[in-house]
Amino acid sequence: MMRLILSVTCALGFAVSLPVSAAKQDYKCFINSAAKGPEVVFYRWSSEDLKVKTASLIGMQRKDNKGKQYFIKTVEECVPLSEEFSSKQAKAKDKQTLR
């Protein structure tokens, strides 16, 4: 009986000490590339990692509909999917982008 109580206590203590991972959220980013120009792209990231993930997009390789590869040159802005971009150009491109 004592072993059962001890093992349950240890298991509960271990479960409480596990880190809780941040919830993932959908984001949209307004980017520029040399091949395609400005476009809106979509990602799903942890809210804690937003700055790191946004910075790591520069230089990332993407493919167009025909399979041609191109690189992201700049990232202008990333916002949660439910929010609007701040720049007029990004808002206009967002309205044209299919979801």
Side-chain angles (χ1 to χ4, degrees), residues 12 23 25 29 32 37 39 45-46 52 71 74 78 81 84 88:
L12 288 175
Q25 187 173 359
C29 297
N32 282 308
E39 65 179 312
W45 296 323
S46 164
V52 173
F71 293 93
T74 61
C78 287
L81 191 59
E84 286 191 16
K88 290 180 183 179

Side-chain angles (χ1 to χ4, degrees), residues 3 13-14 25 28 37-38 43 45 49 55 63 66 83 90:
R3 285 185 182 175
F14 179 71
Q25 187 173 359
K28 57 185 177 182
Y43 296 97
W45 296 323
D49 297 337
K63 288 185 181 180
K66 296 179 181 179
E83 293 182 18

Side-chain angles (χ1 to χ4, degrees), residues 15-55:
V16 172
S17 68
L18 290 176
V20 177
S21 62
K24 294 203 175 210
Q25 187 173 359
D26 292 321
Y27 290 93
K28 57 185 177 182
C29 297
F30 183 62
I31 64 164
N32 282 308
S33 66
K36 290 190 76 173
E39 65 179 312
V40 176
V41 293
F42 302 95
Y43 296 97
R44 184 170 183 83
W45 296 323
S46 164
S47 55
E48 294 175 344
D49 297 337
L50 177 62
K51 289 183 180 181
V52 173
K53 296 286 189 176
T54 301

Side-chain angles (χ1 to χ4, degrees), residues 70-85:
Y70 64 97
F71 293 93
I72 296 175
K73 196 162 82 173
T74 61
V75 178
E76 303 298 326
E77 184 178 4
C78 287
V79 297
L81 191 59
S82 59
E83 293 182 18
E84 286 191 16
F85 289 113

Side-chain angles (χ1 to χ4, degrees), residues 57 59-63 69-72:
L57 286 178
M60 184 177 277
Q61 192 172 13
R62 295 187 45 87
K63 288 185 181 180
Q69 297 177 346
Y70 64 97
F71 293 93
I72 296 175

